[in-house]
Amino acid sequence: MFNYYPAPVARLIDELMKLPGVGPKSAQRLAFHLLNAPDRDALGLSQSIIDARQKIKQCSICANLTDQEPCAFCQDQNRDDKVLCIVEQPRDVIAMEKTREFRGRYHVLHGAISPIEGIGPEQLTVTQLLSRLRESPVAEVVVATNLNVEGEATALYLSRLLKPLGVKVTRIAHGLPVGGDLEYADEVTLAKAFEGRKEI
Amino acid sequence: MFNYYPAPVARLIDELMKLPGVGPKSAQRLAFHLLNAPDRDALGLSQSIIDARQKIKQCSICANLTDQEPCAFCQDQNRDDKVLCIVEQPRDVIAMEKTREFRGRYHVLHGAISPIEGIGPEQLTVTQLLSRLRESPVAEVVVATNLNVEGEATALYLSRLLKPLGVKVTRIAHGLPVGGDLEYADEVTLAKAFEGRKEI
């Protein structure tokens, strides 16, 4: 930044600009907000960053982020041990939970295979997944990675890796989103939706 | 938030949602970014909030935010003491400085008169402004509050308050922005631009 700002403000703006989607203007706006906010809010944010970093770890079973060991999903006695849903990120667990459709266990990869970004299976929690499946076999693995190039590559990799273990590997469906208009759907999505048609 | 998240993450998301322009989705994205970021970045942000809050005070002369007393603008010997520019916010001082057109002193009101939000002159630094003008009179006061209803009301109020002190009170000009297209200007701006026409 220019040296128009006093040093502590300039530093705060610089730190805020490291956040995703925050440019110079937003960072300036956030910085002045934090300077004018009540103590409770500004220092509350500062403290909650430290707390979250200190208390949140990866669950040793599913690699989801948690403040318990094992995490609440792995502890829950009412979930089905026979179905395992594999997702890329902890936020995807929340997205699945909000559907209220799935009552099995989770496994979080913490990313997807992406040769361009130099991310291979060894950067993900694949080894942990394999030893988990060996210790407690499941009937079905649902691969719920994103439906983009990296997610699809990861799904293909996992299906080839897991099928030899005798486990059924499924993939969440491609298709038009609910409320989707055929007219505005891209061709690839529409082709996938057609391909995945079901009898009604 | 729902209880899908571990408590420290839920709290971090709640604190982030208090920031202006940050909704639940952005707060979740920022929270996971802060959890995955290197220590230097995440704790750097946390620390810079605390530092800025501790070190930044209002300048006793111009009420701008500063880590020195008086602020750099009030200390600067090369600025013209005879012209005073009144702005709403510290960020407006920066905006004026970037024009490189103004070399006088500043006064920051920390807001504008807004009966709807219950902000009157007593919530602004008007008393401080008056005693400052009595101690060191100036030749001209440029009122550079925003060109909206609150800013205009504040400008009118200040001109009525300051003219009896024998000081020239001016207002920044309304008009079309540089690069502005007549076709897309709103009528009020265009009318103001016409009214403020100058011989060329």
Side-chain angles (χ1 to χ4, degrees), chain B residues 6-34:
Chain B
V9 179
R11 191 179 150 220
L12 178 56
I13 292 176
D14 277 348
E15 293 291 344
L16 287 165
M17 276 174 61
K18 292 181 189 165
L19 295 174
V22 177
K25 277 273 170 192
S26 319
Q28 182 184 310
R29 183 152 142 263
L30 291 173
F32 283 117
H33 171 87
L34 285 168

mmCIF file of all heavy atoms in Angstrom, chain B residues 6-34:
data_model
loop_
_atom_site.group_PDB
_atom_site.id
_atom_site.type_symbol
_atom_site.label_atom_id
_atom_site.label_comp_id
_atom_site.label_asym_id
_atom_site.label_seq_id
_atom_site.Cartn_x
_atom_site.Cartn_y
_atom_site.Cartn_z
ATOM 1 N N PRO B 6 -18.027 -27.754 14.359
ATOM 2 C CA PRO B 6 -17.468 -27.740 15.720
ATOM 3 C C PRO B 6 -17.559 -26.311 16.264
ATOM 4 O O PRO B 6 -17.445 -25.345 15.498
ATOM 5 C CB PRO B 6 -16.011 -28.147 15.514
ATOM 6 C CG PRO B 6 -15.904 -28.683 14.126
ATOM 7 C CD PRO B 6 -17.049 -28.160 13.343
ATOM 8 N N ALA B 7 -17.739 -26.160 17.587
ATOM 9 C CA ALA B 7 -17.978 -24.851 18.189
ATOM 10 C C ALA B 7 -16.976 -23.758 17.784
ATOM 11 O O ALA B 7 -17.400 -22.652 17.439
ATOM 12 C CB ALA B 7 -18.049 -24.992 19.704
ATOM 13 N N PRO B 8 -15.658 -24.028 17.806
ATOM 14 C CA PRO B 8 -14.736 -22.935 17.461
ATOM 15 C C PRO B 8 -14.902 -22.457 16.014
ATOM 16 O O PRO B 8 -14.748 -21.274 15.732
ATOM 17 C CB PRO B 8 -13.350 -23.557 17.664
ATOM 18 C CG PRO B 8 -13.574 -24.706 18.577
ATOM 19 C CD PRO B 8 -14.932 -25.234 18.239
ATOM 20 N N VAL B 9 -15.249 -23.370 15.103
ATOM 21 C CA VAL B 9 -15.466 -22.974 13.708
ATOM 22 C C VAL B 9 -16.752 -22.157 13.606
ATOM 23 O O VAL B 9 -16.798 -21.120 12.941
ATOM 24 C CB VAL B 9 -15.552 -24.211 12.786
ATOM 25 C CG1 VAL B 9 -15.809 -23.798 11.353
ATOM 26 C CG2 VAL B 9 -14.273 -25.026 12.862
ATOM 27 N N ALA B 10 -17.818 -22.610 14.308
ATOM 28 C CA ALA B 10 -19.088 -21.883 14.293
ATOM 29 C C ALA B 10 -18.884 -20.465 14.815
ATOM 30 O O ALA B 10 -19.419 -19.503 14.258
ATOM 31 C CB ALA B 10 -20.117 -22.621 15.135
ATOM 32 N N ARG B 11 -18.066 -20.335 15.869
ATOM 33 C CA ARG B 11 -17.847 -19.006 16.433
ATOM 34 C C ARG B 11 -17.068 -18.118 15.454
ATOM 35 O O ARG B 11 -17.396 -16.946 15.258
ATOM 36 C CB ARG B 11 -17.074 -19.118 17.766
ATOM 37 C CG ARG B 11 -17.094 -17.788 18.472
ATOM 38 C CD ARG B 11 -16.400 -17.716 19.799
ATOM 39 N NE ARG B 11 -15.929 -16.344 19.936
ATOM 40 C CZ ARG B 11 -14.765 -15.981 20.442
ATOM 41 N NH1 ARG B 11 -13.935 -16.903 20.899
ATOM 42 N NH2 ARG B 11 -14.424 -14.725 20.508
ATOM 43 N N LEU B 12 -16.058 -18.698 14.809
ATOM 44 C CA LEU B 12 -15.282 -17.932 13.829
ATOM 45 C C LEU B 12 -16.186 -17.461 12.690
ATOM 46 O O LEU B 12 -16.121 -16.299 12.268
ATOM 47 C CB LEU B 12 -14.128 -18.801 13.293
ATOM 48 C CG LEU B 12 -13.231 -18.193 12.224
ATOM 49 C CD1 LEU B 12 -12.631 -16.877 12.683
ATOM 50 C CD2 LEU B 12 -12.111 -19.162 11.843
ATOM 51 N N ILE B 13 -17.064 -18.349 12.220
ATOM 52 C CA ILE B 13 -17.991 -17.972 11.143
ATOM 53 C C ILE B 13 -18.906 -16.839 11.612
ATOM 54 O O ILE B 13 -19.126 -15.858 10.893
ATOM 55 C CB ILE B 13 -18.804 -19.205 10.677
ATOM 56 C CG1 ILE B 13 -17.869 -20.195 9.975
ATOM 57 C CG2 ILE B 13 -19.942 -18.793 9.755
ATOM 58 C CD1 ILE B 13 -18.526 -21.498 9.563
ATOM 59 N N ASP B 14 -19.418 -16.953 12.843
ATOM 60 C CA ASP B 14 -20.286 -15.899 13.390
ATOM 61 C C ASP B 14 -19.560 -14.562 13.435
ATOM 62 O O ASP B 14 -20.117 -13.527 13.070
ATOM 63 C CB ASP B 14 -20.748 -16.269 14.808
ATOM 64 C CG ASP B 14 -21.944 -17.206 14.771
ATOM 65 O OD1 ASP B 14 -22.536 -17.371 13.688
ATOM 66 O OD2 ASP B 14 -22.282 -17.773 15.823
ATOM 67 N N GLU B 15 -18.305 -14.581 13.893
ATOM 68 C CA GLU B 15 -17.548 -13.327 14.003
ATOM 69 C C GLU B 15 -17.290 -12.736 12.613
ATOM 70 O O GLU B 15 -17.372 -11.523 12.423
ATOM 71 C CB GLU B 15 -16.207 -13.573 14.721
ATOM 72 C CG GLU B 15 -16.329 -13.960 16.187
ATOM 73 C CD GLU B 15 -16.832 -12.808 17.069
ATOM 74 O OE1 GLU B 15 -16.806 -11.649 16.628
ATOM 75 O OE2 GLU B 15 -17.251 -13.092 18.214
ATOM 76 N N LEU B 16 -16.986 -13.602 11.639
ATOM 77 C CA LEU B 16 -16.713 -13.119 10.279
ATOM 78 C C LEU B 16 -17.970 -12.523 9.659
ATOM 79 O O LEU B 16 -17.906 -11.569 8.889
ATOM 80 C CB LEU B 16 -16.173 -14.263 9.413
ATOM 81 C CG LEU B 16 -14.730 -14.677 9.722
ATOM 82 C CD1 LEU B 16 -14.405 -16.020 9.093
ATOM 83 C CD2 LEU B 16 -13.734 -13.631 9.214
ATOM 84 N N MET B 17 -19.157 -13.076 10.021
ATOM 85 C CA MET B 17 -20.409 -12.568 9.461
ATOM 86 C C MET B 17 -20.745 -11.163 9.959
ATOM 87 O O MET B 17 -21.612 -10.501 9.402
ATOM 88 C CB MET B 17 -21.564 -13.531 9.777
ATOM 89 C CG MET B 17 -21.650 -14.669 8.785
ATOM 90 S SD MET B 17 -22.884 -15.897 9.255
ATOM 91 C CE MET B 17 -24.370 -14.907 9.241
ATOM 92 N N LYS B 18 -20.075 -10.717 11.018
ATOM 93 C CA LYS B 18 -20.301 -9.344 11.490
ATOM 94 C C LYS B 18 -19.601 -8.320 10.601
ATOM 95 O O LYS B 18 -19.865 -7.130 10.708
ATOM 96 C CB LYS B 18 -19.790 -9.195 12.936
ATOM 97 C CG LYS B 18 -20.600 -9.987 13.940
ATOM 98 C CD LYS B 18 -20.057 -9.789 15.347
ATOM 99 C CE LYS B 18 -20.727 -10.746 16.325
ATOM 100 N NZ LYS B 18 -19.973 -10.813 17.595
ATOM 101 N N LEU B 19 -18.672 -8.772 9.742
ATOM 102 C CA LEU B 19 -17.970 -7.846 8.846
ATOM 103 C C LEU B 19 -18.936 -7.368 7.765
ATOM 104 O O LEU B 19 -19.814 -8.115 7.340
ATOM 105 C CB LEU B 19 -16.765 -8.546 8.206
ATOM 106 C CG LEU B 19 -15.653 -8.976 9.155
ATOM 107 C CD1 LEU B 19 -14.598 -9.773 8.394
ATOM 108 C CD2 LEU B 19 -15.017 -7.763 9.817
ATOM 109 N N PRO B 20 -18.755 -6.126 7.300
ATOM 110 C CA PRO B 20 -19.667 -5.613 6.273
ATOM 111 C C PRO B 20 -19.502 -6.383 4.968
ATOM 112 O O PRO B 20 -18.375 -6.663 4.543
ATOM 113 C CB PRO B 20 -19.228 -4.151 6.112
ATOM 114 C CG PRO B 20 -17.823 -4.106 6.612
ATOM 115 C CD PRO B 20 -17.713 -5.150 7.678
ATOM 116 N N GLY B 21 -20.614 -6.769 4.359
ATOM 117 C CA GLY B 21 -20.577 -7.440 3.062
ATOM 118 C C GLY B 21 -20.227 -8.911 3.139
ATOM 119 O O GLY B 21 -20.024 -9.543 2.111
ATOM 120 N N VAL B 22 -20.167 -9.472 4.341
ATOM 121 C CA VAL B 22 -19.845 -10.897 4.482
ATOM 122 C C VAL B 22 -21.090 -11.657 4.952
ATOM 123 O O VAL B 22 -21.562 -11.441 6.065
ATOM 124 C CB VAL B 22 -18.676 -11.107 5.467
ATOM 125 C CG1 VAL B 22 -18.403 -12.590 5.663
ATOM 126 C CG2 VAL B 22 -17.423 -10.418 4.966
ATOM 127 N N GLY B 23 -21.630 -12.505 4.081
ATOM 128 C CA GLY B 23 -22.795 -13.325 4.408
ATOM 129 C C GLY B 23 -22.357 -14.702 4.870
ATOM 130 O O GLY B 23 -21.160 -14.955 5.006
ATOM 131 N N PRO B 24 -23.324 -15.617 5.103
ATOM 132 C CA PRO B 24 -22.971 -16.951 5.618
ATOM 133 C C PRO B 24 -21.999 -17.716 4.720
ATOM 134 O O PRO B 24 -21.044 -18.323 5.206
ATOM 135 C CB PRO B 24 -24.316 -17.677 5.682
ATOM 136 C CG PRO B 24 -25.348 -16.612 5.689
ATOM 137 C CD PRO B 24 -24.781 -15.443 4.958
ATOM 138 N N LYS B 25 -22.209 -17.666 3.393
ATOM 139 C CA LYS B 25 -21.350 -18.429 2.474
ATOM 140 C C LYS B 25 -19.919 -17.898 2.476
ATOM 141 O O LYS B 25 -18.962 -18.667 2.524
ATOM 142 C CB LYS B 25 -21.907 -18.360 1.038
ATOM 143 C CG LYS B 25 -23.002 -19.380 0.770
ATOM 144 C CD LYS B 25 -22.422 -20.719 0.326
ATOM 145 C CE LYS B 25 -23.520 -21.781 0.315
ATOM 146 N NZ LYS B 25 -22.998 -23.131 0.172
ATOM 147 N N SER B 26 -19.771 -16.559 2.403
ATOM 148 C CA SER B 26 -18.418 -15.974 2.408
ATOM 149 C C SER B 26 -17.751 -16.240 3.737
ATOM 150 O O SER B 26 -16.542 -16.509 3.785
ATOM 151 C CB SER B 26 -18.440 -14.462 2.213
ATOM 152 O OG SER B 26 -19.354 -14.080 1.257
ATOM 153 N N ALA B 27 -18.522 -16.138 4.827
ATOM 154 C CA ALA B 27 -17.939 -16.332 6.158
ATOM 155 C C ALA B 27 -17.394 -17.758 6.274
ATOM 156 O O ALA B 27 -16.302 -17.983 6.794
ATOM 157 C CB ALA B 27 -18.986 -16.069 7.231
ATOM 158 N N GLN B 28 -18.157 -18.731 5.740
ATOM 159 C CA GLN B 28 -17.717 -20.129 5.767
ATOM 160 C C GLN B 28 -16.433 -20.286 4.951
ATOM 161 O O GLN B 28 -15.466 -20.912 5.412
ATOM 162 C CB GLN B 28 -18.837 -20.980 5.165
ATOM 163 C CG GLN B 28 -18.556 -22.456 5.165
ATOM 164 C CD GLN B 28 -19.673 -23.227 4.469
ATOM 165 O OE1 GLN B 28 -20.851 -23.052 4.752
ATOM 166 N NE2 GLN B 28 -19.292 -24.066 3.523
ATOM 167 N N ARG B 29 -16.397 -19.641 3.777
ATOM 168 C CA ARG B 29 -15.227 -19.726 2.911
ATOM 169 C C ARG B 29 -14.004 -19.110 3.604
ATOM 170 O O ARG B 29 -12.916 -19.687 3.601
ATOM 171 C CB ARG B 29 -15.536 -18.979 1.608
ATOM 172 C CG ARG B 29 -14.449 -19.046 0.582
ATOM 173 C CD ARG B 29 -15.020 -18.919 -0.820
ATOM 174 N NE ARG B 29 -14.178 -18.142 -1.693
ATOM 175 C CZ ARG B 29 -14.341 -16.850 -1.970
ATOM 176 N NH1 ARG B 29 -15.332 -16.173 -1.426
ATOM 177 N NH2 ARG B 29 -13.520 -16.231 -2.789
ATOM 178 N N LEU B 30 -14.202 -17.932 4.213
ATOM 179 C CA LEU B 30 -13.104 -17.261 4.901
ATOM 180 C C LEU B 30 -12.625 -18.098 6.087
ATOM 181 O O LEU B 30 -11.424 -18.207 6.336
ATOM 182 C CB LEU B 30 -13.535 -15.873 5.382
ATOM 183 C CG LEU B 30 -13.796 -14.837 4.289
ATOM 184 C CD1 LEU B 30 -14.382 -13.560 4.898
ATOM 185 C CD2 LEU B 30 -12.518 -14.501 3.527
ATOM 186 N N ALA B 31 -13.577 -18.697 6.827
ATOM 187 C CA ALA B 31 -13.218 -19.483 8.008
ATOM 188 C C ALA B 31 -12.331 -20.669 7.606
ATOM 189 O O ALA B 31 -11.279 -20.901 8.208
ATOM 190 C CB ALA B 31 -14.468 -19.975 8.725
ATOM 191 N N PHE B 32 -12.735 -21.406 6.556
ATOM 192 C CA PHE B 32 -11.929 -22.560 6.148
ATOM 193 C C PHE B 32 -10.592 -22.097 5.576
ATOM 194 O O PHE B 32 -9.578 -22.769 5.745
ATOM 195 C CB PHE B 32 -12.694 -23.457 5.167
ATOM 196 C CG PHE B 32 -13.721 -24.309 5.862
ATOM 197 C CD1 PHE B 32 -15.070 -24.184 5.605
ATOM 198 C CD2 PHE B 32 -13.321 -25.245 6.818
ATOM 199 C CE1 PHE B 32 -16.013 -24.953 6.273
ATOM 200 C CE2 PHE B 32 -14.249 -26.028 7.492
ATOM 201 C CZ PHE B 32 -15.597 -25.882 7.214
ATOM 202 N N HIS B 33 -10.598 -20.933 4.912
ATOM 203 C CA HIS B 33 -9.319 -20.380 4.445
ATOM 204 C C HIS B 33 -8.392 -20.113 5.631
ATOM 205 O O HIS B 33 -7.218 -20.481 5.604
ATOM 206 C CB HIS B 33 -9.552 -19.087 3.662
ATOM 207 C CG HIS B 33 -8.284 -18.353 3.336
ATOM 208 N ND1 HIS B 33 -7.537 -18.625 2.213
ATOM 209 C CD2 HIS B 33 -7.605 -17.399 4.015
ATOM 210 C CE1 HIS B 33 -6.459 -17.855 2.213
ATOM 211 N NE2 HIS B 33 -6.479 -17.094 3.288
ATOM 212 N N LEU B 34 -8.941 -19.504 6.687
ATOM 213 C CA LEU B 34 -8.121 -19.164 7.853
ATOM 214 C C LEU B 34 -7.638 -20.418 8.575
ATOM 215 O O LEU B 34 -6.552 -20.435 9.154
ATOM 216 C CB LEU B 34 -8.905 -18.264 8.815
ATOM 217 C CG LEU B 34 -9.058 -16.817 8.346
ATOM 218 C CD1 LEU B 34 -10.074 -16.067 9.186
ATOM 219 C CD2 LEU B 34 -7.707 -16.099 8.386
#
